[in-house]
Amino acid sequence: MNAAKRTEIFSRLREINPHPTTELDYSTPFELLVAVTLSAQATDVGVNKATKKLFPVANTPQAIADLGEEGLKRYISTIGLYNAKAKNVVATSRILVEQYDGEVPRTREALEALPGVGRKTANVVLNTAFGEATIAVDTHIFRVANRTGLAPGKTVRAVEDKLEKTTPQEFKRDAHHWLILHGRYVCKARKPACPECVIRDLCEYKDKTPS
């Protein structure tokens, strides 16, 4: 995979989706932080169903803190690992109220120090809420990066580091959205839709599905 091929891959993904974004519903950085925290091992559709009921009732750190764990669980009980997530979201909300005047911090270090917030969640918030050119690697991106040859790596962090190093600057801000959506709808885990793929001639996957 060379620089020219990478540029062409991202150019084609941009052509079919010029303004990609997350499929999680949110209107503020805090809502995004909550939604991404809830999305671990859950679908965006499932999270959106829960937050559609939650956010009209509580969508600020103070409101979530006031709701408490038991109160929050009533809204997110359809999401996997909801007990642990309720504990983390409420704890995070209290920290934001007490230490950040109810605002979501804009540094990786501060975000990753919040309960239940790992590197991927921090990257999503920094990118989607604050416009930074971070690349959040989830299972879809890990698969696409390895399968296509775009950024092969044995670990999520290795793939992230390689994407950070090799993705042309003009594509960096939107790169992880394009790759997530490509993995979710085209380069699917069990049966990739290679005949319908806009980058099939650039992809280095040896076992392409036939038309």
mmCIF file of all heavy atoms in Angstrom, residues 44-75:
data_model
loop_
_atom_site.group_PDB
_atom_site.id
_atom_site.type_symbol
_atom_site.label_atom_id
_atom_site.label_comp_id
_atom_site.label_asym_id
_atom_site.label_seq_id
_atom_site.Cartn_x
_atom_site.Cartn_y
_atom_site.Cartn_z
ATOM 1 N N ASP A 44 -25.154 1.391 17.602
ATOM 2 C CA ASP A 44 -25.563 2.792 17.618
ATOM 3 C C ASP A 44 -27.081 2.907 17.633
ATOM 4 O O ASP A 44 -27.637 3.799 18.294
ATOM 5 C CB ASP A 44 -25.005 3.522 16.391
ATOM 6 C CG ASP A 44 -23.497 3.752 16.495
ATOM 7 O OD1 ASP A 44 -22.905 3.346 17.500
ATOM 8 O OD2 ASP A 44 -22.919 4.349 15.551
ATOM 9 N N VAL A 45 -27.760 2.021 16.923
ATOM 10 C CA VAL A 45 -29.229 2.041 16.885
ATOM 11 C C VAL A 45 -29.797 1.835 18.284
ATOM 12 O O VAL A 45 -30.706 2.548 18.725
ATOM 13 C CB VAL A 45 -29.769 0.961 15.919
ATOM 14 C CG1 VAL A 45 -31.288 0.843 16.037
ATOM 15 C CG2 VAL A 45 -29.385 1.285 14.480
ATOM 16 N N GLY A 46 -29.249 0.862 19.003
ATOM 17 C CA GLY A 46 -29.713 0.593 20.360
ATOM 18 C C GLY A 46 -29.446 1.747 21.310
ATOM 19 O O GLY A 46 -30.294 2.091 22.150
ATOM 20 N N VAL A 47 -28.274 2.361 21.171
ATOM 21 C CA VAL A 47 -27.945 3.516 22.010
ATOM 22 C C VAL A 47 -28.880 4.678 21.704
ATOM 23 O O VAL A 47 -29.381 5.353 22.616
ATOM 24 C CB VAL A 47 -26.469 3.936 21.808
ATOM 25 C CG1 VAL A 47 -26.179 5.254 22.536
ATOM 26 C CG2 VAL A 47 -25.536 2.837 22.328
ATOM 27 N N ASN A 48 -29.129 4.925 20.426
ATOM 28 C CA ASN A 48 -30.011 6.034 20.044
ATOM 29 C C ASN A 48 -31.425 5.855 20.587
ATOM 30 O O ASN A 48 -32.082 6.834 20.976
ATOM 31 C CB ASN A 48 -30.056 6.179 18.523
ATOM 32 C CG ASN A 48 -28.759 6.732 17.946
ATOM 33 O OD1 ASN A 48 -27.968 7.359 18.655
ATOM 34 N ND2 ASN A 48 -28.536 6.518 16.659
ATOM 35 N N LYS A 49 -31.895 4.629 20.627
ATOM 36 C CA LYS A 49 -33.232 4.375 21.182
ATOM 37 C C LYS A 49 -33.280 4.740 22.665
ATOM 38 O O LYS A 49 -34.273 5.299 23.147
ATOM 39 C CB LYS A 49 -33.606 2.897 20.995
ATOM 40 C CG LYS A 49 -34.000 2.525 19.571
ATOM 41 C CD LYS A 49 -34.378 1.047 19.478
ATOM 42 C CE LYS A 49 -34.783 0.678 18.049
ATOM 43 N NZ LYS A 49 -35.097 -0.772 17.943
ATOM 44 N N ALA A 50 -32.197 4.429 23.368
ATOM 45 C CA ALA A 50 -32.150 4.730 24.802
ATOM 46 C C ALA A 50 -31.993 6.229 25.056
ATOM 47 O O ALA A 50 -32.694 6.806 25.897
ATOM 48 C CB ALA A 50 -31.001 3.960 25.461
ATOM 49 N N THR A 51 -31.078 6.861 24.329
ATOM 50 C CA THR A 51 -30.825 8.293 24.568
ATOM 51 C C THR A 51 -31.975 9.168 24.079
ATOM 52 O O THR A 51 -32.149 10.287 24.561
ATOM 53 C CB THR A 51 -29.515 8.749 23.912
ATOM 54 O OG1 THR A 51 -29.550 8.482 22.495
ATOM 55 C CG2 THR A 51 -28.317 8.037 24.531
ATOM 56 N N LYS A 52 -32.772 8.653 23.165
ATOM 57 C CA LYS A 52 -33.952 9.402 22.711
ATOM 58 C C LYS A 52 -34.922 9.630 23.870
ATOM 59 O O LYS A 52 -35.622 10.643 23.932
ATOM 60 C CB LYS A 52 -34.647 8.644 21.579
ATOM 61 C CG LYS A 52 -35.803 9.403 20.931
ATOM 62 C CD LYS A 52 -36.390 8.618 19.769
ATOM 63 C CE LYS A 52 -37.509 9.380 19.093
ATOM 64 N NZ LYS A 52 -38.096 8.611 17.955
ATOM 65 N N LYS A 53 -34.938 8.693 24.815
ATOM 66 C CA LYS A 53 -35.783 8.830 26.001
ATOM 67 C C LYS A 53 -35.038 9.522 27.138
ATOM 68 O O LYS A 53 -35.631 10.274 27.915
ATOM 69 C CB LYS A 53 -36.252 7.449 26.457
ATOM 70 C CG LYS A 53 -37.145 6.740 25.454
ATOM 71 C CD LYS A 53 -37.497 5.328 25.929
ATOM 72 C CE LYS A 53 -38.373 4.608 24.909
ATOM 73 N NZ LYS A 53 -38.660 3.204 25.328
ATOM 74 N N LEU A 54 -33.726 9.269 27.214
ATOM 75 C CA LEU A 54 -32.933 9.821 28.318
ATOM 76 C C LEU A 54 -32.682 11.321 28.179
ATOM 77 O O LEU A 54 -32.901 12.076 29.143
ATOM 78 C CB LEU A 54 -31.592 9.084 28.402
ATOM 79 C CG LEU A 54 -30.542 9.698 29.349
ATOM 80 C CD1 LEU A 54 -31.016 9.628 30.798
ATOM 81 C CD2 LEU A 54 -29.198 8.984 29.179
ATOM 82 N N PHE A 55 -32.203 11.757 27.013
ATOM 83 C CA PHE A 55 -31.743 13.139 26.881
ATOM 84 C C PHE A 55 -32.826 14.206 27.090
ATOM 85 O O PHE A 55 -32.520 15.276 27.623
ATOM 86 C CB PHE A 55 -31.041 13.343 25.537
ATOM 87 C CG PHE A 55 -29.686 12.674 25.450
ATOM 88 C CD1 PHE A 55 -29.133 12.351 24.215
ATOM 89 C CD2 PHE A 55 -28.966 12.373 26.593
ATOM 90 C CE1 PHE A 55 -27.886 11.746 24.130
ATOM 91 C CE2 PHE A 55 -27.715 11.754 26.522
ATOM 92 C CZ PHE A 55 -27.169 11.446 25.279
ATOM 93 N N PRO A 56 -34.079 13.967 26.720
ATOM 94 C CA PRO A 56 -35.096 14.980 27.051
ATOM 95 C C PRO A 56 -35.301 15.148 28.557
ATOM 96 O O PRO A 56 -35.779 16.191 29.014
ATOM 97 C CB PRO A 56 -36.361 14.432 26.375
ATOM 98 C CG PRO A 56 -35.870 13.581 25.260
ATOM 99 C CD PRO A 56 -34.630 12.934 25.808
ATOM 100 N N VAL A 57 -34.930 14.130 29.332
ATOM 101 C CA VAL A 57 -35.088 14.172 30.792
ATOM 102 C C VAL A 57 -33.807 14.653 31.465
ATOM 103 O O VAL A 57 -33.837 15.453 32.407
ATOM 104 C CB VAL A 57 -35.469 12.771 31.326
ATOM 105 C CG1 VAL A 57 -35.516 12.761 32.850
ATOM 106 C CG2 VAL A 57 -36.810 12.333 30.741
ATOM 107 N N ALA A 58 -32.661 14.163 30.972
ATOM 108 C CA ALA A 58 -31.365 14.499 31.586
ATOM 109 C C ALA A 58 -30.280 14.486 30.518
ATOM 110 O O ALA A 58 -29.927 13.407 30.018
ATOM 111 C CB ALA A 58 -31.030 13.504 32.694
ATOM 112 N N ASN A 59 -29.778 15.660 30.177
ATOM 113 C CA ASN A 59 -28.723 15.725 29.156
ATOM 114 C C ASN A 59 -27.575 16.655 29.552
ATOM 115 O O ASN A 59 -26.842 17.140 28.693
ATOM 116 C CB ASN A 59 -29.299 16.143 27.799
ATOM 117 C CG ASN A 59 -29.717 17.601 27.781
ATOM 118 O OD1 ASN A 59 -29.986 18.198 28.828
ATOM 119 N ND2 ASN A 59 -29.765 18.189 26.598
ATOM 120 N N THR A 60 -27.436 16.906 30.856
ATOM 121 C CA THR A 60 -26.313 17.683 31.367
ATOM 122 C C THR A 60 -25.655 16.887 32.494
ATOM 123 O O THR A 60 -26.307 16.009 33.093
ATOM 124 C CB THR A 60 -26.759 19.044 31.927
ATOM 125 O OG1 THR A 60 -27.578 18.817 33.091
ATOM 126 C CG2 THR A 60 -27.529 19.849 30.882
ATOM 127 N N PRO A 61 -24.395 17.164 32.814
ATOM 128 C CA PRO A 61 -23.760 16.447 33.917
ATOM 129 C C PRO A 61 -24.534 16.557 35.224
ATOM 130 O O PRO A 61 -24.676 15.566 35.949
ATOM 131 C CB PRO A 61 -22.384 17.116 34.015
ATOM 132 C CG PRO A 61 -22.107 17.587 32.623
ATOM 133 C CD PRO A 61 -23.433 18.029 32.092
ATOM 134 N N GLN A 62 -25.047 17.746 35.516
ATOM 135 C CA GLN A 62 -25.785 17.915 36.757
ATOM 136 C C GLN A 62 -27.063 17.081 36.763
ATOM 137 O O GLN A 62 -27.401 16.431 37.761
ATOM 138 C CB GLN A 62 -26.140 19.389 36.978
ATOM 139 C CG GLN A 62 -26.775 19.674 38.348
ATOM 140 C CD GLN A 62 -25.836 19.380 39.500
ATOM 141 O OE1 GLN A 62 -24.808 20.025 39.646
ATOM 142 N NE2 GLN A 62 -26.177 18.383 40.334
ATOM 143 N N ALA A 63 -27.771 17.072 35.643
ATOM 144 C CA ALA A 63 -29.022 16.312 35.559
ATOM 145 C C ALA A 63 -28.778 14.806 35.672
ATOM 146 O O ALA A 63 -29.545 14.088 36.331
ATOM 147 C CB ALA A 63 -29.745 16.631 34.257
ATOM 148 N N ILE A 64 -27.710 14.316 35.041
ATOM 149 C CA ILE A 64 -27.383 12.886 35.142
ATOM 150 C C ILE A 64 -26.950 12.545 36.566
ATOM 151 O O ILE A 64 -27.340 11.511 37.129
ATOM 152 C CB ILE A 64 -26.269 12.505 34.154
ATOM 153 C CG1 ILE A 64 -26.754 12.654 32.705
ATOM 154 C CG2 ILE A 64 -25.781 11.085 34.411
ATOM 155 C CD1 ILE A 64 -27.686 11.592 32.206
ATOM 156 N N ALA A 65 -26.149 13.430 37.174
ATOM 157 C CA ALA A 65 -25.726 13.205 38.556
ATOM 158 C C ALA A 65 -26.929 13.157 39.486
ATOM 159 O O ALA A 65 -27.001 12.318 40.403
ATOM 160 C CB ALA A 65 -24.755 14.301 38.988
ATOM 161 N N ASP A 66 -27.893 14.051 39.252
ATOM 162 C CA ASP A 66 -29.106 14.075 40.070
ATOM 163 C C ASP A 66 -29.950 12.816 39.852
ATOM 164 O O ASP A 66 -30.605 12.328 40.784
ATOM 165 C CB ASP A 66 -29.943 15.316 39.742
ATOM 166 C CG ASP A 66 -29.279 16.609 40.202
ATOM 167 O OD1 ASP A 66 -28.356 16.534 41.038
ATOM 168 O OD2 ASP A 66 -29.680 17.680 39.701
ATOM 169 N N LEU A 67 -29.934 12.305 38.654
ATOM 170 C CA LEU A 67 -30.696 11.092 38.327
ATOM 171 C C LEU A 67 -30.151 9.904 39.108
ATOM 172 O O LEU A 67 -30.921 9.062 39.603
ATOM 173 C CB LEU A 67 -30.605 10.829 36.822
ATOM 174 C CG LEU A 67 -31.676 9.994 36.136
ATOM 175 C CD1 LEU A 67 -33.069 10.589 36.341
ATOM 176 C CD2 LEU A 67 -31.360 9.897 34.643
ATOM 177 N N GLY A 68 -28.817 9.840 39.236
ATOM 178 C CA GLY A 68 -28.198 8.747 39.977
ATOM 179 C C GLY A 68 -28.167 7.450 39.186
ATOM 180 O O GLY A 68 -28.804 7.337 38.131
ATOM 181 N N GLU A 69 -27.453 6.483 39.701
ATOM 182 C CA GLU A 69 -27.294 5.223 38.977
ATOM 183 C C GLU A 69 -28.620 4.516 38.737
ATOM 184 O O GLU A 69 -28.915 4.071 37.622
ATOM 185 C CB GLU A 69 -26.346 4.291 39.737
ATOM 186 C CG GLU A 69 -24.891 4.702 39.663
ATOM 187 C CD GLU A 69 -23.992 3.715 40.384
ATOM 188 O OE1 GLU A 69 -24.211 2.486 40.230
ATOM 189 O OE2 GLU A 69 -23.091 4.158 41.109
ATOM 190 N N GLU A 70 -29.426 4.375 39.773
ATOM 191 C CA GLU A 70 -30.690 3.646 39.619
ATOM 192 C C GLU A 70 -31.625 4.361 38.656
ATOM 193 O O GLU A 70 -32.315 3.724 37.858
ATOM 194 C CB GLU A 70 -31.358 3.452 40.985
ATOM 195 C CG GLU A 70 -30.595 2.535 41.918
ATOM 196 C CD GLU A 70 -30.285 1.175 41.300
ATOM 197 O OE1 GLU A 70 -31.196 0.587 40.683
ATOM 198 O OE2 GLU A 70 -29.135 0.716 41.432
ATOM 199 N N GLY A 71 -31.642 5.673 38.742
ATOM 200 C CA GLY A 71 -32.477 6.436 37.828
ATOM 201 C C GLY A 71 -32.012 6.295 36.388
ATOM 202 O O GLY A 71 -32.829 6.142 35.470
ATOM 203 N N LEU A 72 -30.703 6.319 36.185
ATOM 204 C CA LEU A 72 -30.157 6.188 34.830
ATOM 205 C C LEU A 72 -30.409 4.801 34.252
ATOM 206 O O LEU A 72 -30.715 4.653 33.059
ATOM 207 C CB LEU A 72 -28.656 6.498 34.847
ATOM 208 C CG LEU A 72 -27.912 6.398 33.516
ATOM 209 C CD1 LEU A 72 -28.539 7.307 32.456
ATOM 210 C CD2 LEU A 72 -26.430 6.732 33.706
ATOM 211 N N LYS A 73 -30.312 3.796 35.106
ATOM 212 C CA LYS A 73 -30.503 2.420 34.630
ATOM 213 C C LYS A 73 -31.867 2.214 33.982
ATOM 214 O O LYS A 73 -32.011 1.405 33.060
ATOM 215 C CB LYS A 73 -30.321 1.432 35.788
ATOM 216 C CG LYS A 73 -28.894 1.224 36.223
ATOM 217 C CD LYS A 73 -28.839 0.264 37.410
ATOM 218 C CE LYS A 73 -27.445 0.190 38.003
ATOM 219 N NZ LYS A 73 -27.396 -0.715 39.175
ATOM 220 N N ARG A 74 -32.864 2.928 34.451
ATOM 221 C CA ARG A 74 -34.212 2.761 33.876
ATOM 222 C C ARG A 74 -34.244 3.144 32.400
ATOM 223 O O ARG A 74 -35.061 2.624 31.640
ATOM 224 C CB ARG A 74 -35.222 3.621 34.653
ATOM 225 C CG ARG A 74 -35.483 3.128 36.061
ATOM 226 C CD ARG A 74 -36.795 3.672 36.606
ATOM 227 N NE ARG A 74 -36.761 5.122 36.751
ATOM 228 C CZ ARG A 74 -36.364 5.750 37.841
ATOM 229 N NH1 ARG A 74 -35.943 5.062 38.892
ATOM 230 N NH2 ARG A 74 -36.378 7.073 37.897
ATOM 231 N N TYR A 75 -33.353 4.050 32.008
ATOM 232 C CA TYR A 75 -33.329 4.501 30.609
ATOM 233 C C TYR A 75 -32.394 3.674 29.729
ATOM 234 O O TYR A 75 -32.566 3.634 28.509
ATOM 235 C CB TYR A 75 -32.901 5.971 30.539
ATOM 236 C CG TYR A 75 -33.907 6.918 31.145
ATOM 237 C CD1 TYR A 75 -33.787 7.346 32.454
ATOM 238 C CD2 TYR A 75 -35.006 7.361 30.401
ATOM 239 C CE1 TYR A 75 -34.711 8.208 33.027
ATOM 240 C CE2 TYR A 75 -35.940 8.220 30.958
ATOM 241 C CZ TYR A 75 -35.792 8.632 32.275
ATOM 242 O OH TYR A 75 -36.721 9.485 32.829
#
